[in-house]
Amino acid sequence: MNAAFLVRLFIIMHDCGHGSFFRSRRLCNWTGRCLGVLALTPYDVWRRTHAIHHSSTGNLDRRGTGDLPTLTVDEYLNRKWVGRALYRLVRHPVFMFGVVPIFAFFVQNRLPVGLMYAGWRYWLSAMATNAAIASVLGVIYWVGGADVLLFVFLPTMIVAASIGVWLFNIQHQFEHTTWEHEAHWKLQHAAFYGSSHYALSAPLRWITANVGVHHVHHVASRIPFYRLEEVLRDHAELADCQRITLYESLHCARLHLWDESRQRLSTFSEALSNAKHA
């Protein structure tokens, strides 16, 4: 339950980053910074990289910031065996949802990765968040000792981080998502068709703060999460767009390569088989 609650807090921070949780941008930002400490995430750094994600989602020529590593079939085939092996390792579900979350939240977030030369603001965000986290950990240790840190705090953070990476994966890494090169890429098309509707049960929708209604969110990010269900209710046709159930989402963990010829995300075996017979 601790991890589930932390996931919800992260998504509240996410809405603060879009300026949608409160009417006041200043209140959103300071709430986001406080929640970022609990989520081990420097808010101002995350807000900027997340904005880049929104402005480049589904663009094959602007990958690399705020997204998951994704290669096309041709890019994969043109790599040497070491490059292929490394990509397979990174995309393996155990690594993706076990190692990547730990690295991202415990290591990568300690520096303004992606914005290292973008100015002092992002360094201040990262370092101030680190100092605040150290203070919180110190209080936890002083009150509860090492056992609380090792057997409560650490597992909670790891589980919450893994859930977060899983959600982000399902939101954009599904079979009939969309990827285009810059010349043919259109923001609104990519925002809507490159984002899924992760149809979850009511308890899971509460835990994840409706982040599964991601196709609507990417088209209109200023809609707060607590209004997204109203959008689906008032525009019922949206409920079936890019709809993925919890059971169907398990298949998404096996999709790793963008097949440009078939315009779909494929498994390694499917993609390589199609390439061989092309």
Side-chain angles (χ1 to χ4, degrees):
M1 288 303 297
N2 289 341
F5 187 63
L6 190 57
V7 169
R8 184 173 173 86
L9 290 180
F10 184 92
I11 297 168
I12 292 174
M13 184 197 77
H14 163 270
D15 272 24
C16 288
H18 286 288
S20 62
F21 194 69
F22 300 111
R23 291 184 179 180
S24 167
R25 167 65 77 170
R26 176 173 293 184
L27 183 56
C28 278
N29 286 339
W30 281 106
T31 301
R33 290 178 183 120
C34 292
L35 293 178
V37 174
L38 300 178
L40 305 186
T41 302
Y43 170 77
D44 291 284
V45 176
W46 174 87
R47 183 179 65 166
R48 177 58 181 159
T49 57
H50 190 65
I52 294 172
H53 159 68
H54 267 258
S55 65
S56 60
T57 185
N59 191 317
L60 286 170
D61 298 319
R62 287 198 276 158
R63 286 168 286 174
T65 300
D67 54 19
L68 297 174
T70 306
L71 293 180
T72 67
V73 176
D74 288 341
E75 288 170 341
Y76 177 80
L77 291 175
N78 288 331
R79 286 192 169 194
K80 295 181 179 180
W81 72 268
V82 175
R84 294 186 190 184
L86 287 174
Y87 184 71
R88 280 182 174 268
L89 173 64
V90 170
R91 295 290 305 203
H92 192 281
V94 174
F95 192 92
M96 179 69 73
F97 306 116
V99 178
V100 169
I102 295 172
F103 174 78
F105 284 86
F106 288 88
V107 180
Q108 187 177 39
N109 279 354
R110 307 286 60 83
L111 293 171
V113 175
L115 301 172
M116 301 288 278
Y117 303 102
W120 62 267
R121 181 189 304 274
Y122 302 110
W123 280 95
L124 177 61
S125 174
M127 295 305 108
T129 301
N130 292 344
I133 291 170
S135 299
V136 170
L137 294 180
V139 171
I140 292 174
Y141 180 80
W142 180 61
V143 173
D147 286 350
V148 175
L149 284 176
L150 292 175
F151 302 113
V152 178
F153 172 81
L154 191 60
T156 296
M157 290 306 309
I158 292 174
V159 171
S162 296
I163 293 172
V165 173
W166 171 263
L167 289 171
F168 189 73
N169 180 75
I170 301 305
Q171 289 160 5
H172 298 286
Q173 300 275 317
F174 54 98
E175 184 173 1
H176 296 292
T177 186
T178 179
W179 287 90
E180 294 284 358
H181 287 285
E182 182 74 40
H184 303 288
W185 178 81
K186 295 181 179 179
L187 176 58
Q188 291 301 315
H189 182 275
F192 184 76
Y193 291 103
S195 306
S196 68
H197 172 208
Y198 198 11
L200 300 171
S201 62
L204 291 179
R205 287 200 305 273
W206 187 90
I207 290 170
T208 59
N210 293 326
V211 76
V213 191
H214 214 64
H215 57 330
V216 176
H217 166 69
H218 258 260
V219 172
S221 61
R222 292 301 298 274
I223 300 175
F225 76 82
Y226 49 82
R227 301 294 297 274
L228 287 173
E229 286 190 320
E230 295 177 31
V231 175
L232 294 185
R233 184 173 66 244
D234 295 341
H235 303 277
E237 64 276 12
L238 293 175
D240 292 326
C241 295
Q242 292 84 255
R243 187 176 186 273
I244 299 173
T245 65
L246 183 62
Y247 176 76
E248 290 170 339
S249 70
L250 300 178
H251 174 67
C252 295
R254 300 179 60 245
L255 304 175
H256 307 295
L257 293 170
W258 177 247
D259 191 331
E260 294 184 89
S261 64
R262 303 171 68 204
Q263 287 292 292
R264 54 175 286 192
L265 206 62
S266 301
T267 65
F268 283 114
S269 59
E270 288 173 339
L272 299 181
S273 175
N274 291 326
K276 182 177 180 180
H277 293 93

